[in-house]
Amino acid sequence: MKIEKVREIYNKPLLKLVYEAATVHRRFHDSGKIKISTLISVKTGECIEDCAYCAQSVHYDTGIKPQEILTVAEVVEKAIKAKESGATRVCLSTSWRNAEGDENIENIIEMAEGVRKLGMDVCCTLGMINKENVAKLLKAGITGYNHNLDTSRNFYPEIITTRTYDDRLETINNLIDAGMPYCSGGIIGMGESNEDRISLLHTVASQKKHPFNFPVNALVPVKGTPLENQPLVSVWEIVRIIAAARILMPETNISLAAGRINMTEEAQALCFLAGANSVFIGEKLLTTANTKIEDDVRLFEVLGLKDRA
Ligand code: SF4
């Protein structure tokens, strides 16, 4: 795909873009359904990476209390609560640079087995990963792996210096080659330009296989990180990237991920109209605040959205 094509879509007049995205959305998906997932932070904090947006990086003083890896029983307990709130998918997250070490992988597999027994799907986000370990997770019934590209290749060094864009692409390649459905998206509002967003969309949409999920995160500035004073990104920009992603990757689920806490319900509704069909529920998205579950349940009811279990 040529980048000019992505630019042309991205820069359409907003309402025209939303209309086109909504049309594509209805052709490829049931527009009355969304996927409701929850994130469980299995190991929190003390991450050696320096992602400028992240409360869990050891490089910044964010006041986050590090937490050792949870036990299988603790993870299952959290999953039961999430299920009661309507989630049908759990994403197990660790603040690791890499998913490696037999013991660590076995531990995650045990957690996943415990959650799957509840009848829930399990995804993981464990950092960079090689093909061998992807194969182990796949064999254990894990149905997806998240590894975000975050932003464009050009802007990336402004945000992360401890691993490269190519490292990330290598993990995505390992996931694709091993046959693991992957989830990869970005964060907007970090100071990137429209051209950076276009480039991110272009990179993801040009992979040999599209992700099953493209999360759109609006930065929630965290005190103590280099991005603590970033102004909140405008809702129009969130809608625009969602709509463009929907047109470029028609079969992919588009998640309205972090940042819903700073959006009105009307703004969220516009995102769903523009093709977002996946959300994360729970009081926290790892370490940042999220919308209240009861507000989400009410909003989905008002909008006529049901979980796509
Ligand atoms: S985003 Fe992930 S890899 Fe980056 S600092 Fe946070 S926990 Fe570590």
Side-chain angles (χ1 to χ4, degrees):
M1 178 182 303
K2 291 216 162 80
I3 194 154
E4 291 75 24
K5 172 92 185 134
V6 180
R7 195 176 291 123
E8 186 198 314
I9 292 170
Y10 188 89
N11 286 326
K12 283 187 187 211
L14 190 67
L15 290 182
K16 192 165 188 277
L17 180 63
V18 169
Y19 178 77
E20 285 180 21
T23 309
V24 171
H25 186 47
R26 275 144 191 77
R27 203 166 343 123
F28 286 85
H29 301 268
D30 179 342
S31 60
K33 298 250 166 89
I34 51 168
K35 187 79 190 167
I36 303 178
S37 310
T38 199
L39 266 165
I40 297 181
S41 186
V42 163
K43 192 245 161 211
T44 309
E46 287 185 325
C47 181
I48 58 170
E49 303 288 315
D50 68 351
C51 309
Y53 50 81
C54 184
Q56 301 197 63
S57 168
V58 82
H59 299 264
Y60 317 123
D61 185 8
T62 61
I64 286 289
K65 224 170 87 205
Q67 165 223 287
E68 272 316 303
I69 194 147
L70 298 180
T71 63
V72 173
E74 285 168 327
V75 170
V76 170
E77 196 185 314
K78 283 179 187 282
I80 290 172
K81 279 200 189 127
K83 188 178 178 184
E84 284 166 3
S85 308
T88 51
R89 181 188 283 270
V90 167
C91 182
L92 303 176
S93 163
T94 60
S95 51
W96 292 338
R97 172 178 163 83
N98 294 69
E100 58 183 14
D102 290 347
E103 208 181 307
N104 284 337
I105 299 290
E106 280 312 311
N107 204 0
I108 294 290
I109 287 175
E110 255 187 72
M111 291 173 189
E113 278 166 0
V115 176
R116 286 181 68 223
K117 281 192 191 134
L118 304 172
M120 303 174 89
D121 284 339
V122 183
C123 298
C124 296
T125 181
L126 315 172
M128 294 181 282
I129 190 163
N130 61 30
K131 283 184 200 157
E132 199 189 333
N133 284 331
V134 178
K136 285 185 192 162
L137 297 180
L138 204 53
K139 198 163 161 230
I142 287 165
T143 55
Y145 194 99
N146 163 271
H147 198 63
N148 289 330
L149 280 176
D150 286 352
T151 188
S152 69
R153 183 183 281 280
N154 272 346
F155 192 65
Y156 186 89
E158 306 284 320
I159 301 298
I160 298 141
T161 66
T162 47
R163 56 171 158 24
T164 66
Y165 210 64
D166 284 322
D167 289 335
R168 294 227 171 171
L169 285 168
E170 191 184 322
T171 283
I172 288 175
N173 253 313
N174 291 342
L175 294 164
I176 295 174
D177 289 349
M180 172 70 86
Y182 75 102
C183 160
S184 187
I187 306 174
I188 62 169
M190 300 192 293
E192 75 288 342
S193 63
N194 279 342
E195 204 49 39
D196 290 313
R197 294 175 196 157
I198 290 165
S199 170
L200 168 70
L201 284 165
H202 177 247
T203 304
V204 179
S206 305
Q207 295 305 303
K208 51 191 174 194
K209 191 171 184 352
H210 283 170
F212 81 94
N213 194 45
F214 178 81
V216 173
N217 296 282
L219 179 76
V220 179
V222 176
K223 206 164 177 310
T225 64
L227 299 181
E228 66 178 343
N229 294 322
Q230 266 308 115
L232 291 183
V233 68
S234 141
V235 68
W236 308 122
E237 300 184 55
I238 303 173
V239 173
R240 185 175 289 284
I241 192 167
I242 286 174
R246 168 52 66 230
I247 294 169
L248 290 163
M249 296 177 280
E251 291 182 47
T252 295
N253 293 319
I254 313 287
S255 286
L256 178 56
R260 283 199 301 126
I261 182 95
N262 295 319
M263 295 171 76
T264 64
E265 294 191 339
E266 294 83 348
Q268 292 183 55
L270 193 53
C271 292
F272 297 131
L273 183 69
N277 61 345
S278 163
V279 288
F280 290 94
I281 60 161
E283 278 161 31
K284 286 203 166 170
L285 288 181
L286 301 181
T287 55
T288 54
N290 194 23
T291 44
K292 286 202 189 107
I293 289 172
E294 50 277 25
D295 290 345
D296 283 343
V297 169
R298 189 181 37 75
L299 177 63
F300 300 153
E301 206 174 303
V302 169
L303 299 178
L305 291 172
K306 293 213 162 38
D307 180 58
R308 177 169 38 86

